[in-house]
Amino acid sequence: MAKTGDRARATPGSALDALHFALDRTSPVPLYYQLAQQLEAAIEHGALTPGNLLGNEIDLSTRLGLSRPTVRQAIQSLVDKGLLVRRRGVGTQVVHSQVKRPLELSSLYDDLETAGQGPTTDVVRNERVPATADVAAALGIPEGSEVTLLERLRATHGQPVAFLCNYLPPALLDLDTARLESTGLYRLLRSAGITLHSARQTVGARSATAEEAALLREKEGAALLTMQRTAYDDTGRPVEYGTHIYRASRYAFDFQLLVRP
């Protein structure tokens, strides 16, 4: 009977040293795909981090007991996803993992921290501005009323992930720039005694403008994910309206779909 659950372990000399890969040679799932999925999981969970070297294809095939074409196909699939890069004279290197965020009422900061992504924040603007028609409608206030505008650049591993624009009623809480750079907005809301209960959210996509591309270190015209959200507290009061953009190369929304009875 064919042996299942082959366990390949890397020999010393690469970031794979401490990792084990369960490769089932009797499975109909191709070995390259099994390897690619397990490498991707290691990157997403932080076992492989940006800058880690995996070695070249010959070394990898020897260490993992696989053919060179199998390893090459697995590596190429992750290169195509932007998770790995081939460097001449160096070998294969981890670039970054794509952030997958569940569609639920949580903050990007909390999601990144939970995923071990080490989020950092640069506050671009924190000031009072007149509410535009869209902002006023979302927050249920007269157009032209004063609101607090926050613009923040969120990054992980030194690479920008998203540009966040949020509007809040000015009397809601005092938003100190230093605190905003050390924690998430929703944490500050919760610490002020505001209980978030629900939200209306729209997800879309478009191309990056020149200014957005410069902020997010992308090329002009690169794919961006967009999100608009109005969050409500447990009394039904709108407490925050956000319009965010995310690098599609580094970020994805994760959906769970259920059949309606």
Side-chain angles (χ1 to χ4, degrees):
M1 184 173 69
K3 187 178 180 180
T4 62
D6 282 354
R7 296 186 70 82
R9 181 176 181 179
T11 57
S14 81
L16 300 180
D17 293 349
L19 299 181
H20 295 268
F21 298 91
L23 303 175
D24 185 353
R25 298 175 189 273
T26 67
S27 170
V29 179
L31 285 172
Y32 89 86
Y33 187 79
Q34 294 183 46
L35 176 58
Q37 288 291 95
Q38 292 177 50
L39 282 171
E40 183 173 355
I43 294 171
E44 287 186 357
H45 297 140
L48 293 173
T49 59
N52 280 164
L53 292 172
L54 307 188
N56 58 42
E57 290 173 1
I58 297 176
D59 292 339
L60 287 173
S61 62
T62 300
R63 290 169 179 171
L64 299 176
L66 298 171
S67 69
R68 188 175 176 184
T70 296
V71 172
R72 181 186 300 119
Q73 195 170 3
I75 295 301
Q76 186 60 50
S77 69
L78 298 186
V79 170
D80 292 341
K81 288 185 175 183
L83 301 179
L84 300 176
V85 65
R86 291 187 175 95
R87 301 194 186 280
R88 184 179 299 274
V90 175
T92 304
Q93 189 172 30
V94 178
V95 182
H96 53 64
S97 61
Q98 186 184 53
V99 178
K100 294 184 178 179
R101 183 181 185 184
L103 279 181
E104 57 186 33
L105 186 50
S106 61
S107 74
L108 176 59
Y109 187 94
D110 289 343
D111 291 338
L112 292 175
E113 189 170 70
T114 299
Q117 294 284 339
T120 59
T121 305
D122 178 24
V123 177
V124 180
R125 295 177 69 185
N126 178 7
E127 58 189 64
R128 304 286 179 88
V129 299
T132 63
D134 288 348
V135 173
L139 295 179
I141 59 177
E143 183 176 351
S145 299
E146 191 177 69
V147 293
T148 298
L149 165 63
L150 301 177
E151 289 184 354
R152 295 165 295 153
L153 188 64
R154 181 69 39 78
T156 64
H157 305 299
Q159 291 290 321
V161 174
F163 183 68
L164 315 174
C165 181
N166 298 82
Y167 299 88
L168 300 93
L172 198 63
L173 76 165
D174 181 28
L175 291 168
D176 178 70
T177 295
R179 293 186 68 195
L180 285 165
E181 290 187 338
S182 64
T183 190
L185 174 60
Y186 280 11
R187 288 189 183 182
L188 293 178
L189 289 172
R190 290 193 294 267
S191 66
I194 298 166
T195 302
L196 296 171
H197 178 266
S198 62
R200 294 181 61 89
Q201 180 167 288
T202 302
V203 175
R206 61 176 174 80
S207 300
T209 65
E211 182 181 5
E212 291 166 344
L215 277 170
L216 296 173
R217 299 185 197 172
E218 287 281 5
K219 294 181 180 179
E220 184 176 356
L224 298 179
L225 295 173
T226 66
M227 184 182 76
Q228 292 183 337
R229 173 190 283 181
T230 304
Y232 303 86
D233 67 8
D234 54 357
T235 70
R237 173 184 56 164
V239 293
E240 176 257 339
Y241 172 63
T243 61
H244 304 166
I245 55 174
Y246 306 84
R247 297 173 68 180
S249 62
R250 297 209 58 198
Y251 190 91
F253 289 107
D254 193 20
F255 295 80
Q256 181 179 18
L257 303 179
L258 303 175
V259 175
R260 180 174 295 177

Coordinates of all heavy atoms in Angstrom, one line a residue, residues 80-165:
D80 N 3.8 34.6 -8.3 CA 2.7 35.2 -9.0 C 1.7 35.9 -8.1 O 1.1 36.9 -8.4 CB 1.9 34.2 -9.8 CG 2.7 33.6 -11.0 OD1 3.7 34.3 -11.4 OD2 2.3 32.5 -11.5
K81 N 1.6 35.4 -6.8 CA 0.7 36.0 -5.8 C 1.4 37.2 -5.1 O 0.8 37.9 -4.3 CB 0.3 35.0 -4.8 CG -0.7 34.0 -5.3 CD -1.2 33.1 -4.1 CE -2.3 32.2 -4.6 NZ -2.8 31.4 -3.4
G82 N 2.7 37.4 -5.4 CA 3.5 38.4 -4.7 C 4.0 38.1 -3.3 O 4.4 39.0 -2.6
L83 N 4.0 36.8 -3.0 CA 4.4 36.4 -1.6 C 5.9 36.1 -1.6 O 6.6 36.2 -0.6 CB 3.6 35.2 -1.2 CG 2.1 35.3 -1.1 CD1 1.5 34.0 -0.6 CD2 1.7 36.4 -0.1
L84 N 6.5 35.6 -2.8 CA 7.9 35.3 -2.9 C 8.5 36.0 -4.0 O 7.8 36.5 -5.0 CB 8.1 33.8 -3.1 CG 7.6 32.8 -2.0 CD1 7.8 31.4 -2.5 CD2 8.2 33.1 -0.7
V85 N 9.8 36.2 -4.0 CA 10.5 36.8 -5.1 C 11.8 36.0 -5.3 O 12.4 35.5 -4.4 CB 10.8 38.3 -4.9 CG1 11.8 38.5 -3.7 CG2 11.4 39.0 -6.1
R86 N 12.2 35.9 -6.6 CA 13.5 35.2 -6.9 C 14.5 36.3 -7.1 O 14.4 37.2 -7.8 CB 13.4 34.4 -8.2 CG 12.5 33.2 -8.1 CD 12.6 32.4 -9.4 NE 11.9 31.1 -9.3 CZ 10.6 30.9 -9.7 NH1 10.0 31.9 -10.3 NH2 10.0 29.7 -9.7
R87 N 15.7 36.1 -6.4 CA 16.8 37.1 -6.5 C 18.0 36.4 -6.9 O 18.4 35.4 -6.4 CB 17.0 37.8 -5.1 CG 15.8 38.5 -4.6 CD 16.2 39.4 -3.4 NE 15.0 40.0 -2.8 CZ 14.3 41.1 -3.3 NH1 14.7 41.6 -4.4 NH2 13.3 41.5 -2.7
R88 N 18.6 36.9 -8.0 CA 19.8 36.3 -8.6 C 20.9 36.3 -7.6 O 21.2 37.3 -6.9 CB 20.2 37.1 -9.8 CG 21.4 36.5 -10.6 CD 21.7 37.3 -11.8 NE 20.6 37.4 -12.8 CZ 20.4 36.5 -13.7 NH1 21.2 35.4 -13.8 NH2 19.4 36.6 -14.5
G89 N 21.5 35.1 -7.5 CA 22.6 34.9 -6.5 C 22.2 34.8 -5.1 O 23.1 34.5 -4.2
V90 N 20.9 34.9 -4.8 CA 20.4 34.8 -3.4 C 19.5 33.6 -3.3 O 19.6 32.9 -2.3 CB 19.7 36.1 -3.0 CG1 19.1 36.0 -1.6 CG2 20.7 37.3 -3.0
G91 N 18.6 33.5 -4.2 CA 17.6 32.4 -4.1 C 16.2 33.0 -3.9 O 15.9 34.1 -4.3
T92 N 15.3 32.2 -3.4 CA 13.9 32.6 -3.2 C 13.8 33.2 -1.9 O 14.2 32.7 -0.9 CB 13.0 31.4 -3.4 OG1 13.2 30.7 -4.6 CG2 11.5 31.8 -3.3
Q93 N 13.1 34.4 -1.8 CA 12.9 35.1 -0.6 C 11.5 35.5 -0.4 O 10.7 35.8 -1.3 CB 13.8 36.4 -0.7 CG 13.9 37.2 0.6 CD 14.9 38.3 0.4 OE1 15.1 38.9 -0.7 NE2 15.6 38.7 1.5
V94 N 11.1 35.5 0.9 CA 9.7 35.9 1.3 C 9.6 37.4 1.2 O 10.5 38.1 1.6 CB 9.4 35.5 2.7 CG1 8.0 35.9 3.1 CG2 9.5 33.9 2.9
V95 N 8.6 37.9 0.5 CA 8.3 39.3 0.4 C 7.4 39.8 1.4 O 7.7 40.6 2.3 CB 7.8 39.7 -1.0 CG1 7.6 41.2 -1.2 CG2 8.8 39.2 -2.1
H96 N 6.2 39.3 1.4 CA 5.2 39.7 2.4 C 4.0 38.7 2.2 O 3.9 38.0 1.3 CB 4.7 41.1 2.3 CG 4.2 41.5 0.9 ND1 3.1 40.9 0.3 CD2 4.7 42.3 0.0 CE1 3.0 41.4 -0.9 NE2 3.9 42.3 -1.1
S97 N 3.1 38.7 3.2 CA 1.9 38.0 3.1 C 0.7 38.9 2.8 O 0.7 40.1 3.1 CB 1.6 37.2 4.4 OG 1.4 38.1 5.5
Q98 N -0.3 38.4 2.1 CA -1.5 39.2 1.8 C -2.4 39.1 3.0 O -2.6 38.0 3.6 CB -2.2 38.6 0.6 CG -3.4 39.5 0.2 CD -4.2 38.9 -0.9 OE1 -4.6 37.8 -0.9 NE2 -4.4 39.7 -2.0
V99 N -2.8 40.3 3.5 CA -3.7 40.3 4.6 C -5.1 39.9 4.2 O -5.7 40.5 3.2 CB -3.8 41.7 5.2 CG1 -4.8 41.8 6.4 CG2 -2.4 42.2 5.6
K100 N -5.7 38.9 4.8 CA -7.1 38.5 4.5 C -7.9 38.9 5.7 O -7.7 38.4 6.8 CB -7.1 37.0 4.3 CG -6.4 36.5 3.0 CD -6.6 35.1 2.8 CE -5.9 34.7 1.5 NZ -6.0 33.2 1.2
R101 N -8.9 39.8 5.5 CA -9.7 40.3 6.6 C -11.1 39.8 6.5 O -11.8 39.9 5.4 CB -9.7 41.8 6.5 CG -10.4 42.5 7.6 CD -10.4 44.0 7.4 NE -11.0 44.7 8.5 CZ -11.1 46.0 8.5 NH1 -10.7 46.8 7.5 NH2 -11.7 46.6 9.6
P102 N -11.6 39.2 7.5 CA -13.0 38.8 7.5 C -14.0 40.0 7.5 O -13.7 41.1 8.1 CB -13.2 38.0 8.8 CG -12.1 38.6 9.7 CD -11.0 39.0 8.9
L103 N -15.1 39.8 6.8 CA -16.1 40.9 6.8 C -16.9 40.9 8.1 O -17.9 40.2 8.1 CB -17.0 40.8 5.5 CG -16.4 41.3 4.2 CD1 -17.3 41.1 3.1 CD2 -16.0 42.8 4.4
E104 N -16.5 41.6 9.0 CA -17.2 41.7 10.3 C -16.9 43.1 10.9 O -16.0 43.8 10.4 CB -16.8 40.6 11.3 CG -15.3 40.5 11.6 CD -15.0 39.3 12.4 OE1 -15.6 38.3 12.3 OE2 -14.0 39.4 13.2
L105 N -17.6 43.4 11.9 CA -17.4 44.8 12.5 C -16.2 44.7 13.4 O -16.2 44.6 14.6 CB -18.6 45.2 13.3 CG -18.6 46.6 13.8 CD1 -18.2 47.6 12.7 CD2 -19.9 47.0 14.4
S106 N -15.0 44.9 12.8 CA -13.7 44.9 13.5 C -12.9 46.0 12.9 O -13.1 46.4 11.7 CB -13.0 43.6 13.5 OG -12.8 43.2 12.2
S107 N -11.8 46.4 13.5 CA -10.9 47.4 13.0 C -9.8 46.7 12.2 O -9.4 45.6 12.6 CB -10.4 48.3 14.0 OG -9.4 47.7 14.8
L108 N -9.2 47.4 11.2 CA -8.0 46.9 10.5 C -6.9 46.7 11.5 O -6.2 45.7 11.4 CB -7.6 47.8 9.4 CG -6.4 47.5 8.6 CD1 -6.5 46.1 8.0 CD2 -6.1 48.6 7.6
Y109 N -6.7 47.6 12.4 CA -5.6 47.5 13.4 C -5.7 46.2 14.2 O -4.8 45.4 14.4 CB -5.6 48.7 14.4 CG -4.4 48.8 15.3 CD1 -3.3 49.5 14.9 CD2 -4.4 48.1 16.5 CE1 -2.2 49.5 15.8 CE2 -3.3 48.1 17.3 CZ -2.2 48.9 16.9 OH -1.1 48.9 17.8
D110 N -6.9 45.9 14.7 CA -7.1 44.7 15.5 C -6.9 43.5 14.7 O -6.3 42.5 15.1 CB -8.5 44.7 16.1 CG -8.7 45.7 17.2 OD1 -7.7 46.2 17.7 OD2 -9.9 46.0 17.6
D111 N -7.4 43.5 13.4 CA -7.2 42.3 12.6 C -5.8 42.0 12.3 O -5.3 40.9 12.3 CB -8.0 42.5 11.3 CG -9.5 42.5 11.5 OD1 -10.0 41.9 12.5 OD2 -10.2 43.0 10.6
L112 N -5.0 43.1 12.0 CA -3.6 42.9 11.7 C -2.8 42.5 12.9 O -2.0 41.6 12.8 CB -3.0 44.3 11.2 CG -3.5 44.7 9.8 CD1 -2.9 46.1 9.5 CD2 -3.2 43.8 8.7
E113 N -3.2 43.0 14.0 CA -2.4 42.6 15.3 C -2.8 41.2 15.6 O -1.8 40.4 16.0 CB -2.8 43.5 16.4 CG -2.0 43.3 17.7 CD -2.2 44.4 18.7 OE1 -3.3 44.4 19.3 OE2 -1.3 45.2 18.9
T114 N -4.0 40.8 15.5 CA -4.4 39.4 15.7 C -3.7 38.4 14.8 O -3.3 37.3 15.2 CB -5.9 39.2 15.6 OG1 -6.6 40.1 16.5 CG2 -6.3 37.8 15.8
A115 N -3.5 38.8 13.6 CA -2.8 38.0 12.6 C -1.3 38.0 12.7 O -0.5 37.4 11.9 CB -3.2 38.4 11.2
G116 N -0.7 38.8 13.7 CA 0.7 38.9 13.9 C 1.4 39.7 12.9 O 2.6 39.5 12.6
Q117 N 0.7 40.7 12.3 CA 1.3 41.5 11.2 C 2.0 42.7 11.7 O 2.6 43.4 10.9 CB 0.2 41.9 10.2 CG -0.4 40.7 9.5 CD 0.4 40.2 8.4 OE1 1.3 40.9 7.9 NE2 0.2 39.0 7.9
G118 N 2.0 43.0 13.0 CA 2.7 44.1 13.6 C 2.3 45.5 12.9 O 3.2 46.1 12.3
P119 N 1.1 45.9 13.0 CA 0.6 47.1 12.4 C 1.3 48.4 12.9 O 1.5 48.5 14.1 CB -0.9 47.2 12.6 CG -1.1 46.4 13.9 CD 0.0 45.3 13.8
T120 N 1.5 49.4 12.0 CA 2.0 50.7 12.4 C 1.1 51.7 11.7 O 0.5 51.4 10.7 CB 3.4 50.9 12.0 OG1 3.6 50.8 10.6 CG2 4.4 50.0 12.7
T121 N 1.0 52.9 12.3 CA 0.1 53.9 11.8 C 0.8 55.3 11.7 O 1.5 55.7 12.6 CB -1.1 54.1 12.7 OG1 -1.8 52.8 12.9 CG2 -2.1 55.1 12.1
D122 N 0.6 55.9 10.6 CA 1.1 57.3 10.4 C -0.1 58.2 10.2 O -0.9 58.0 9.3 CB 2.0 57.4 9.2 CG 2.5 58.8 8.9 OD1 2.5 59.6 9.8 OD2 2.8 59.1 7.7
V123 N -0.4 59.1 11.2 CA -1.5 60.0 11.1 C -1.2 61.2 10.2 O -0.3 62.0 10.5 CB -1.9 60.5 12.5 CG1 -3.1 61.5 12.3 CG2 -2.4 59.4 13.4
V124 N -1.9 61.2 9.0 CA -1.6 62.3 8.0 C -2.4 63.5 8.4 O -1.9 64.7 8.3 CB -2.0 61.8 6.6 CG1 -1.8 62.9 5.6 CG2 -1.2 60.5 6.3
R125 N -3.7 63.4 8.8 CA -4.5 64.5 9.2 C -5.3 64.1 10.4 O -5.8 63.0 10.5 CB -5.5 64.9 8.1 CG -4.8 65.5 6.8 CD -5.8 65.8 5.7 NE -6.6 66.9 6.1 CZ -7.7 67.4 5.3 NH1 -8.0 66.7 4.2 NH2 -8.4 68.4 5.7
N126 N -5.5 65.1 11.3 CA -6.4 65.0 12.5 C -6.9 66.4 12.7 O -6.3 67.1 13.5 CB -5.7 64.4 13.7 CG -6.6 64.3 14.9 OD1 -7.8 64.5 14.8 ND2 -6.0 63.9 16.0
E127 N -8.1 66.7 12.1 CA -8.5 68.1 12.2 C -10.0 68.2 12.1 O -10.7 67.2 11.7 CB -7.8 69.0 11.2 CG -8.1 68.5 9.7 CD -7.2 69.2 8.7 OE1 -6.0 69.1 8.8 OE2 -7.8 69.9 7.8
R128 N -10.6 69.3 12.4 CA -12.0 69.6 12.2 C -12.3 70.2 10.8 O -11.6 71.1 10.4 CB -12.5 70.6 13.3 CG -12.2 70.1 14.7 CD -13.1 69.0 15.2 NE -12.9 68.6 16.5 CZ -13.4 69.1 17.6 NH1 -14.2 70.1 17.5 NH2 -13.1 68.6 18.8
V129 N -13.3 69.6 10.1 CA -13.7 70.1 8.8 C -15.2 70.2 8.7 O -15.9 69.5 9.4 CB -13.1 69.2 7.7 CG1 -11.5 69.2 7.7 CG2 -13.6 67.8 7.8
P130 N -15.7 71.0 7.7 CA -17.2 71.0 7.5 C -17.6 69.6 6.8 O -16.9 69.1 5.9 CB -17.4 72.2 6.5 CG -16.1 72.9 6.6 CD -15.0 72.0 6.9
A131 N -18.7 69.1 7.2 CA -19.2 67.9 6.6 C -19.7 68.1 5.2 O -20.5 69.0 5.0 CB -20.3 67.3 7.5
T132 N -19.2 67.2 4.3 CA -19.8 67.2 2.9 C -21.2 66.6 3.0 O -21.6 66.0 4.0 CB -18.9 66.5 2.0 OG1 -18.8 65.1 2.4 CG2 -17.5 67.0 2.0
A133 N -21.9 66.6 1.9 CA -23.2 66.0 1.8 C -23.2 64.5 2.1 O -24.0 64.0 2.9 CB -23.8 66.2 0.4
D134 N -22.2 63.8 1.6 CA -22.1 62.4 1.8 C -21.8 62.1 3.3 O -22.4 61.2 3.9 CB -21.0 61.7 1.0 CG -21.3 61.7 -0.5 OD1 -22.5 61.9 -0.8 OD2 -20.4 61.4 -1.3
V135 N -20.9 62.8 3.9 CA -20.5 62.6 5.3 C -21.7 62.9 6.2 O -22.0 62.2 7.1 CB -19.3 63.4 5.7 CG1 -19.0 63.4 7.2 CG2 -18.1 63.0 4.9
A136 N -22.4 64.1 5.9 CA -23.5 64.5 6.7 C -24.6 63.5 6.7 O -25.2 63.1 7.7 CB -24.0 65.8 6.2
A137 N -24.9 62.9 5.5 CA -25.9 61.9 5.3 C -25.6 60.6 6.1 O -26.5 60.0 6.8 CB -26.2 61.6 3.9
A138 N -24.3 60.2 6.1 CA -23.9 59.0 6.8 C -24.0 59.2 8.3 O -24.4 58.3 9.0 CB -22.5 58.7 6.4
L139 N -23.7 60.4 8.8 CA -23.6 60.6 10.3 C -24.9 61.2 10.8 O -25.1 61.4 12.0 CB -22.5 61.5 10.6 CG -21.1 61.0 10.4 CD1 -20.0 62.0 10.8 CD2 -20.9 59.7 11.2
G140 N -25.9 61.5 9.9 CA -27.2 62.0 10.3 C -27.1 63.4 10.9 O -27.8 63.7 11.9
I141 N -26.3 64.3 10.3 CA -26.1 65.7 10.7 C -26.3 66.6 9.6 O -26.2 66.2 8.4 CB -24.7 65.9 11.3 CG1 -23.6 65.6 10.3 CG2 -24.5 65.0 12.6 CD1 -22.2 65.8 10.8
P142 N -26.5 67.9 9.8 CA -26.7 68.9 8.7 C -25.4 69.0 7.9 O -24.3 69.0 8.5 CB -27.1 70.2 9.4 CG -27.6 69.8 10.8 CD -26.8 68.5 11.2
E143 N -25.5 69.2 6.6 CA -24.4 69.4 5.8 C -23.7 70.7 6.2 O -24.3 71.7 6.6 CB -24.8 69.6 4.3 CG -23.7 69.8 3.4 CD -24.1 69.8 1.9 OE1 -25.3 69.5 1.7 OE2 -23.3 70.1 1.0
G144 N -22.4 70.7 6.3 CA -21.6 71.8 6.7 C -21.3 71.8 8.2 O -20.5 72.6 8.7
S145 N -21.9 70.9 9.0 CA -21.6 70.8 10.4 C -20.1 70.3 10.6 O -19.6 69.7 9.7 CB -22.5 69.7 11.1 OG -23.9 70.1 10.9
E146 N -19.6 70.7 11.7 CA -18.2 70.4 11.9 C -18.0 68.9 12.3 O -18.8 68.4 13.1 CB -17.6 71.2 13.1 CG -16.1 71.1 13.2 CD -15.6 72.1 14.3 OE1 -15.9 71.8 15.5 OE2 -15.0 73.1 14.0
V147 N -17.1 68.2 11.7 CA -16.8 66.8 12.0 C -15.2 66.7 12.2 O -14.5 67.5 11.7 CB -17.3 65.8 10.9 CG1 -18.8 65.8 10.9 CG2 -16.7 66.2 9.6
T148 N -14.8 65.6 12.8 CA -13.4 65.3 12.9 C -13.0 64.5 11.8 O -13.6 63.4 11.5 CB -13.1 64.6 14.3 OG1 -13.4 65.4 15.4 CG2 -11.6 64.2 14.3
L149 N -12.0 64.9 11.1 CA -11.5 64.1 9.9 C -10.1 63.5 10.3 O -9.2 64.2 10.8 CB -11.3 65.0 8.7 CG -10.4 64.4 7.6 CD1 -11.0 63.2 7.0 CD2 -10.1 65.5 6.5
L150 N -10.0 62.2 10.1 CA -8.8 61.4 10.3 C -8.3 60.8 9.0 O -9.1 60.2 8.3 CB -9.0 60.3 11.4 CG -9.5 60.7 12.8 CD1 -9.7 59.4 13.5 CD2 -8.5 61.6 13.4
E151 N -7.1 61.0 8.7 CA -6.5 60.4 7.6 C -5.2 59.6 8.1 O -4.3 60.3 8.7 CB -6.1 61.3 6.4 CG -7.3 61.9 5.7 CD -6.9 62.8 4.6 OE1 -5.7 63.1 4.4 OE2 -7.8 63.2 3.8
R152 N -5.2 58.3 7.9 CA -4.1 57.5 8.4 C -3.6 56.5 7.4 O -4.3 56.0 6.6 CB -4.6 56.7 9.7 CG -5.0 57.6 10.8 CD -5.8 56.8 11.9 NE -7.0 56.4 11.3 CZ -7.7 55.3 11.7 NH1 -7.2 54.6 12.7 NH2 -8.8 55.0 11.2
L153 N -2.3 56.3 7.4 CA -1.6 55.3 6.6 C -1.2 54.2 7.4 O -0.5 54.3 8.4 CB -0.4 55.9 5.9 CG 0.3 55.1 4.8 CD1 -0.7 54.9 3.6 CD2 1.6 55.7 4.3
R154 N -1.8 53.0 7.1 CA -1.6 51.8 7.9 C -0.6 50.9 7.2 O -0.8 50.7 6.0 CB -2.9 51.1 8.2 CG -2.9 49.9 9.0 CD -2.6 50.0 10.5 NE -3.2 51.1 11.2 CZ -4.4 51.3 11.6 NH1 -5.3 50.3 11.4 NH2 -4.8 52.3 12.3
A155 N 0.4 50.4 7.9 CA 1.4 49.6 7.3 C 1.7 48.3 8.2 O 1.4 48.3 9.4 CB 2.7 50.4 7.2
T156 N 2.3 47.3 7.5 CA 2.8 46.1 8.2 C 4.2 45.8 7.6 O 4.4 45.9 6.4 CB 1.9 44.9 8.0 OG1 1.8 44.5 6.7 CG2 0.5 45.2 8.5
H157 N 5.1 45.4 8.5 CA 6.4 45.0 8.1 C 7.1 46.1 7.2 O 7.8 45.9 6.3 CB 6.4 43.7 7.3 CG 5.8 42.6 8.0 ND1 6.3 42.1 9.2 CD2 4.7 41.8 7.8 CE1 5.5 41.1 9.7 NE2 4.6 40.9 8.8
G158 N 6.8 47.4 7.5 CA 7.3 48.5 6.8 C 6.7 48.8 5.5 O 7.2 49.7 4.8
Q159 N 5.7 48.1 5.1 CA 5.0 48.3 3.8 C 3.6 48.7 4.0 O 2.8 48.1 4.8 CB 5.0 46.9 3.0 CG 6.4 46.5 2.5 CD 6.9 47.4 1.5 OE1 6.2 47.9 0.6 NE2 8.2 47.7 1.5
P160 N 3.2 49.8 3.3 CA 1.8 50.3 3.5 C 0.8 49.3 2.9 O 1.0 48.6 1.9 CB 1.8 51.6 2.6 CG 2.9 51.5 1.7 CD 4.0 50.6 2.4
V161 N -0.3 49.2 3.7 CA -1.4 48.3 3.3 C -2.6 49.1 2.9 O -3.3 48.7 2.0 CB -1.7 47.3 4.5 CG1 -2.9 46.5 4.2 CG2 -0.5 46.4 4.8
A162 N -2.9 50.2 3.7 CA -4.2 50.8 3.4 C -4.1 52.3 3.8 O -3.2 52.7 4.6 CB -5.3 50.2 4.3
F163 N -4.9 53.1 3.2 CA -5.0 54.5 3.5 C -6.5 54.7 4.0 O -7.4 54.4 3.3 CB -4.8 55.4 2.3 CG -4.9 56.9 2.6 CD1 -3.9 57.5 3.5 CD2 -5.9 57.7 2.1 CE1 -3.9 58.8 3.8 CE2 -6.0 59.0 2.4 CZ -5.0 59.6 3.3
L164 N -6.6 55.1 5.2 CA -7.9 55.2 5.9 C -8.4 56.6 6.1 O -7.6 57.4 6.7 CB -7.8 54.5 7.3 CG -7.1 53.2 7.3 CD1 -6.9 52.7 8.8 CD2 -7.8 52.1 6.5
C165 N -9.6 56.9 5.7 CA -10.2 58.2 5.9 C -11.4 58.0 6.7 O -12.4 57.4 6.3 CB -10.4 58.9 4.6 SG -11.2 60.5 4.7

